[in-house]
Amino acid sequence: MVKKTLRKGLALLIIFTLIISVALVGCGTEKSSTSKSENVKQEEKTVVLKLGHVLNESSPFHKGAEEFARKVEEKSKGRLKIEIFPSAQLGNDRELAEGLQLGTVDISISGSAAVTGFVPRLQVFDLPFLFRDAEHAYKVLDGPIGDEVLKDFEAKGIVGLAFWENGFRHLTNSKRPVKIPEDVKGMKIRVMEIPIHVQFWKLLGTDPTPMAWTEVYTALQQHTVDGQENPIQTIYTQKIYEVQKYLSLTGHVYAPAVVMISKKTYEGLSSDLQKVLTEAAKETATYERNYIKDLETKALKELPKLGMEVEMNPDKEAFKAAVQPVYKDIGEKLKVKDMIEKIINTK
Ligand code: MLT
């Protein structure tokens, strides 16, 4: 009797174990098929990328970023979305680039000069009076020379997607009209934090003061510095006219902008999404450059009404002659003599 009961209990136990095992195997199958469909879902999921820049929402960087975001969303059929953070919300230019390296920022747009600490060869483009006009600059930046310099970013954990534009830089100050180099002698000029700018403003007899963009308006307002230099569109959209009386169209440097993505972010995306970003960044360059062209035409009409005195024809040849030593210096220091020659000879 006891034996019979034991046998029955054992049989029940075996049946119970079998049921549990089948159920567990079933769950396992279910789990693996769920994770497969999760993978599929992930590929279809929208990836949101954070884009930062230091200018305000009326700047061409911002308008370009909006167009870029629109194109990316369209080309990726909604799989990629870009969230834009203007006005240095994600940090100043150096902090943005460091964020790209760490992967805490996905995409950033900076004036190329602001990231020469990461890619020194970018300084070549900041040689004063290097580019004859905007078309010359586009030919160089959108061609093999531009591509070669963009590749330098990779060693720093950043992928350079495309060159956009900041524009030809012009001098403003609160002291006097500037027509010839003698007029700037002794002025304290805020410059970007890159050696080449410091060097050529010294050659012009000024006292160059390197400073991050985020501090410039206050420094001009408090007269810590007498002047600064930036493209017309920046002087207009960032309201530099409120704190500077004189604008001189020196056009001393053509400033490109660079659209960059964190290498970590980039490598985490499928190759078709990488292509979407590269194509959209390159295509948006034309939009952003045209936007600047129109904006500067408007700004030049508006700035005198806003109180600025504009010198339309400063003696550019005299300024150019005064800064020539910087060519030799940069050519030797960065080993870019050939590149400079090639740029000058690009027709
Ligand atoms: C600067 O002067 O620091 C830059 O030109 C500002 C900018 O990023 O446009």
Side-chain angles (χ1 to χ4, degrees):
M1 178 72 185
V2 173
K3 255 189 187 171
K4 209 174 167 190
T5 313
L6 271 177
R7 229 181 288 136
K8 214 173 162 187
L10 197 66
L12 278 174
L13 190 69
I14 289 169
I15 290 167
F16 183 68
T17 310
L18 273 173
I19 290 171
I20 293 287
S21 305
V22 168
L24 282 179
V25 169
C27 278
T29 315
E30 181 61 24
K31 193 162 181 270
S32 77
S33 73
T34 307
S35 65
K36 239 188 221 158
S37 69
E38 261 171 12
N39 282 344
V40 173
K41 267 190 219 142
Q42 259 183 3
E43 275 171 27
E44 287 165 0
K45 235 198 230 159
T46 302
V47 176
V48 182
L49 302 179
K50 280 188 279 178
L51 180 156
H53 67 84
V54 299
L55 299 177
N56 68 21
E57 290 181 38
S58 52
S59 67
F61 277 11
H62 197 77
K63 303 292 175 197
E66 286 175 338
E67 174 64 10
F68 174 59
R70 193 194 61 72
K71 266 190 205 296
V72 165
E73 200 171 333
E74 182 183 284
K75 279 175 184 281
S76 70
K77 299 192 174 48
R79 284 187 295 151
L80 274 183
K81 264 200 165 72
I82 295 186
E83 213 178 323
I84 308 167
F85 296 85
S87 306
Q89 286 173 43
L90 301 183
N92 64 30
D93 287 304
R94 186 182 39 76
E95 290 160 344
L96 283 172
E98 286 167 358
L100 296 178
Q101 292 182 310
L102 295 169
T104 51
V105 175
D106 296 306
I107 301 176
S108 75
I109 308 166
S110 285
S112 64
V115 285
T116 51
F118 298 83
V119 173
R121 281 210 295 180
L122 275 173
Q123 286 188 71
V124 176
F125 303 137
D126 275 69
L127 278 166
F129 304 101
L130 175 70
F131 293 112
R132 295 180 295 277
D133 49 31
E135 293 310 318
H136 181 198
Y138 303 158
K139 199 91 189 267
V140 170
L141 297 167
D142 301 343
I145 298 178
D147 285 346
E148 191 185 321
V149 177
L150 282 181
K151 283 205 185 88
D152 287 1
F153 277 102
E154 295 214 8
K156 300 290 171 179
I158 296 172
V159 177
L161 291 176
F163 282 108
W164 288 5
E165 176 166 280
N166 216 347
F168 278 98
R169 303 180 77 89
H170 307 281
L171 180 70
T172 69
N173 82 92
S174 56
K175 292 267 185 204
R176 53 185 168 265
V178 170
K179 195 166 173 75
I180 53 173
E182 281 66 29
D183 295 330
V184 294
K185 287 230 159 82
M187 275 190 202
K188 198 162 182 182
I189 308 289
R190 175 272 170 175
V191 296
M192 281 186 291
E193 296 165 294
I194 69 164
I196 183 171
H197 280 231
V198 176
Q199 197 181 347
F200 74 73
W201 283 105
K202 263 193 191 146
L203 287 167
L204 288 163
T206 70
D207 176 8
T209 310
M211 189 185 289
W213 169 252
T214 38
E215 293 162 34
V216 176
Y217 187 94
T218 311
L220 295 169
Q221 193 174 39
Q222 296 178 349
H223 297 282
T224 321
V225 290
D226 304 315
Q228 66 85 47
E229 45 79 60
N230 253 298
I232 295 168
Q233 52 96 355
T234 310
I235 294 162
Y236 181 57
T237 60
Q238 311 302 300
K239 298 189 180 0
I240 296 299
Y241 55 81
E242 291 178 346
V243 285
Q244 294 275 267
K245 169 85 182 149
Y246 303 101
L247 164 63
S248 185
L249 300 187
T250 44
H252 49 278
V253 163
Y254 172 82
V258 210
V259 185
M260 298 158 283
I261 182 165
S262 160
K263 202 171 170 189
K264 282 191 178 157
T265 304
Y266 191 75
E267 286 178 349
L269 295 170
S270 58
S271 60
D272 64 320
L273 291 183
Q274 291 176 346
K275 193 162 163 243
V276 161
L277 285 164
T278 311
E279 273 180 13
K282 288 201 187 295
E283 285 171 19
T284 309
T286 311
Y287 171 91
E288 196 254 1
R289 288 164 180 169
N290 286 338
Y291 185 88
I292 289 178
K293 209 176 280 165
D294 294 345
L295 180 61
E296 296 211 333
T297 307
K298 178 178 170 214
L300 263 184
K301 285 191 193 130
E302 292 297 316
L303 287 171
K305 293 184 206 157
L306 293 163
M308 285 201 110
E309 204 173 288
V310 185
E311 170 53 63
M312 300 291 286
N313 293 305
D315 187 349
K316 285 193 189 184
E317 285 307 315
F319 278 96
K320 188 173 172 179
V323 296
Q324 281 312 297
V326 88
Y327 276 71
K328 187 167 181 289
D329 200 60
I330 285 289
E332 284 168 5
K333 237 191 247 161
L334 299 177
K335 301 188 177 55
V336 287
K337 270 192 195 160
D338 289 353
M339 189 181 271
I340 296 173
E341 279 298 301
K342 274 191 202 152
I343 294 175
I344 292 172
N345 293 328
T346 302
K347 297 285 176 260

